[in-house]
Amino acid sequence: MDAEIIAVGSELLLGQINNTNGRFLSQQFAQMGINVFYHTVVGDNDRRLQQAIEIAESRANLIVFTGGLGPTKDDLTKETIARHIGKKLVFNDEALQSIEAYFQKRDRAMTENNKKQALVLEGSEVLANDHGMAPGMVLSKSGITYMLLPGPPSEMEPMFISYGYESIMNKLDKHERIESKVLRFFGIGEAELETVIDDLLVNQTNPTIAPLAAEGEVTLRITAKDSSKQKCEELILTAEKEIMDRVGKFYYGNDNTSLIKELVKELTVRKLSIAVAESLTGGMFQEQLTTIPGAGKVFKGGIVSYTNDAKSNVLGVSGGIISEHGVVSGECAKEMASNVRGMHDADVGISFTGVAGPDEQEDKPVGTIFIGISYRDGNTHFKELNLSGSREQNRIRSVKYGCHYLLNDL
Amino acid sequence: MDAEIIAVGSELLLGQINNTNGRFLSQQFAQMGINVFYHTVVGDNDRRLQQAIEIAESRANLIVFTGGLGPTKDDLTKETIARHIGKKLVFNDEALQSIEAYFQKRDRAMTENNKKQALVLEGSEVLANDHGMAPGMVLSKSGITYMLLPGPPSEMEPMFISYGYESIMNKLDKHERIESKVLRFFGIGEAELETVIDDLLVNQTNPTIAPLAAEGEVTLRITAKDSSKQKCEELILTAEKEIMDRVGKFYYGNDNTSLIKELVKELTVRKLSIAVAESLTGGMFQEQLTTIPGAGKVFKGGIVSYTNDAKSNVLGVSGGIISEHGVVSGECAKEMASNVRGMHDADVGISFTGVAGPDEQEDKPVGTIFIGISYRDGNTHFKELNLSGSREQNRIRSVKYGCHYLLNDL
């Protein structure tokens, strides 16, 4: 089954929002073993939507539409499809009732134009909207399946999970399945990684291996096709072994993990608490730590010592070190890490100091960054980075290097 | 000029990342008065990319490609385009030098496949990549302009701003221009705002008024079309006045500003320094402050007192207050704000404490948040929030409310 995802909405073409629906559905289809060869975004325009449908029909047999099912005049997805495939729009009783219920629940008067949302393609399977008003629908005609979903992700995603997924699965032949696994690497460039596994990439058929670089990280997605799940997993494992033999030392996790998640996991397993002192990263490391529920078990707290005063007065970095080495120095990083660890009575202290940019500092070039690591037993050391990104890239990469160093150091 | 944006990359079709480039470029083109009628996402596949190009040529005269310019074998955008429009790929000396410099700077060995990135379409205008290796390029042939940009947003966005924007502006006929202005509001819901200006939304022709809600904020984009820039600005001003008369008290800034930017601006103008104590927000407020270059002039530093220990031991919140009111309390917020202000000898102290979720705390429901504000003159007070979002939404909105309250309080 080859799918095309068509997102309908002028707000997407004006850049007001991202097409996150395209990404969500693509993830779902990848897991279901359905190829997605194109995404199309088209505005609330009858003629252009019609053209997009014709193109999609020429290259896909599953066309999923998101958006344009609402009550307003510019919502025209189902009207355009109905005319295009020659189907009537008929009122759906359950949909109408749930729309009325929706307004009763909020005791607001239902305006007439809301009824329009209960119109569905005649003969289609109706997908209930548990989080909004406009129902979804699925209809197959001349070998092509049309799926219509609402635009708001808060309605579309649960609708697909609860009803859309199964509706499509029932149409799939069960002969072939796809399994995939993402390996995550840090500290090696995309080109460098690819050179090391070049022969694997050239000769790949099943499984396939796809590299992707993002903010200093590289991932490899291994995807296997076979009728049996077990065979898929064997194919993936064989490729994974070969890859890990060559670049295993840069590997840090797989699938939907991240460096910060791995760090929290590692600290939790080892029952180690951490305290953080940040200068150039301005709290980014701590902010990321605390996005993870339960981080409170390992994260004691920290200091954002953005100014020299804060470094000496709050964090207690000795004036001697600042005057002798400057705040952009390994010595300062070490004292920041060890002092913040002590203040919080934590097992581990980590610190970030350096020049994010745009301007140099203490005659040190933009991208000069020092990361300090300090342990309860007094063992304290630092790593130096020389980055060459923008201010924001340097901050983001410093945080990732901090996780990377500490993970390898523990 | 009608544009189509083609994002090339299988990772997009696998749902590994969002097509944020499509959104960014659409925003740019909207401001430039260029219509964007379609986004297309296609994988790293020569034949399907070729088909996408042919379709785009039939409906656009500006085709912008993002992605597929990298060093690896699956990067084939410029190769496919070169063959399709019958142009050679030739080495660009500056690009080659900057790629070599890129590796020298990091002192890493340059692998051979990186040179591929210096190949450009013969006769094209080359756009330098100041944040990566692969250069962009612009070429016009048979009335169609092809623009090739790298995939990583951290490279593509600055390249477009610095070089791509002007390159396209030079190709535009100057007869009709579009001017637009975005008004930003906080503290009013989208539905509520729309009700208040409903008549303006219904009767709009020129200028048009488009509302958009995002994470507790609402923006209104006013867009005017006319041959004269001055006329456009008059049209916008008239609409703006009408809107501000009705909802001006919720307005905080326009265009690409943000609450945090406005706050830094305000503190700078008033020559006030700030210190920050964060619990549930885990450093997010300080991280956002420090994304703004020059924040060091107003931001002294702060504390992430994530645990009760940190609140009492590091921030010195009295045990009495914690035992009597709990850490999720206005009393605790006030002491956090006043203590962090004192520790940093700052003019203003702000604090965040509360229950982000997923679990309740001290028998207080998720979303119960207290923001403390303290001034050098001793004036200290707090605001209570009752939010109903996810953990991450509650954290993000707390930070925005903090900016909002402080801006109105100053």
Side-chain angles (χ1 to χ4, degrees), chain A residues 12-20 23 26-27 30 36-43 48 51 55 59 182 189-192 194-195 198 202 211-212 215 221 282-284 286-287 290-293 296 299-304 306-307 310 314 343-344 358 388 390-393 395, chain B residues 11-20 23 26-27 30 36-43 48 51 55 59 71-74 105-106 108 111 113-114 131 154 210 212 281-284 286-287 290-293 296 299-304 306-307 310 314 343-344 358 391-392 395:
Chain A
L12 291 155
L13 297 178
L14 286 167
Q16 291 180 318
I17 55 173
N18 277 314
N19 179 18
T20 59
R23 180 188 183 181
S26 294
Q27 284 174 322
V36 178
F37 287 139
Y38 297 93
H39 294 173
T40 298
V41 178
V42 60
R48 285 191 287 272
Q51 281 177 11
I55 291 166
R59 58 192 189 184
V182 174
E190 183 183 21
E192 195 182 345
E194 174 149 338
T195 312
D198 189 47
V202 174
L212 175 68
E215 273 313 331
R221 172 181 285 265
M284 190 186 286
Q286 300 172 75
E287 190 278 321
T290 53
T291 54
I292 298 161
F299 176 50
K300 287 230 172 169
I303 305 281
V304 179
Y306 203 63
T307 52
V314 180
M343 285 169 77
H344 291 85
S388 58
S390 65
R391 174 184 173 87
E392 203 49 23
Q393 285 175 315
R395 285 156 48 93
Chain B
E11 67 275 15
L12 291 156
L13 296 178
L14 287 164
Q16 290 180 314
I17 54 173
N18 277 315
N19 179 19
T20 58
R23 179 189 181 181
S26 295
Q27 285 174 320
V36 178
F37 288 139
Y38 297 94
H39 294 176
T40 298
V41 178
V42 59
R48 284 191 288 271
Q51 282 176 11
I55 291 166
R59 59 193 188 184
T72 71
K73 281 196 190 42
D74 61 1
K105 191 159 178 194
R106 291 164 176 68
R108 272 167 41 197
T111 54
N113 53 357
N114 278 296
H131 300 276
S154 57
L212 178 68
T281 48
M284 191 186 285
Q286 298 171 78
E287 191 278 320
T290 53
T291 51
I292 297 161
F299 176 49
K300 286 233 173 171
I303 306 280
V304 180
Y306 203 61
T307 53
V314 181
M343 286 170 76
H344 291 84
R391 174 184 173 86
E392 202 49 22
R395 286 158 45 94

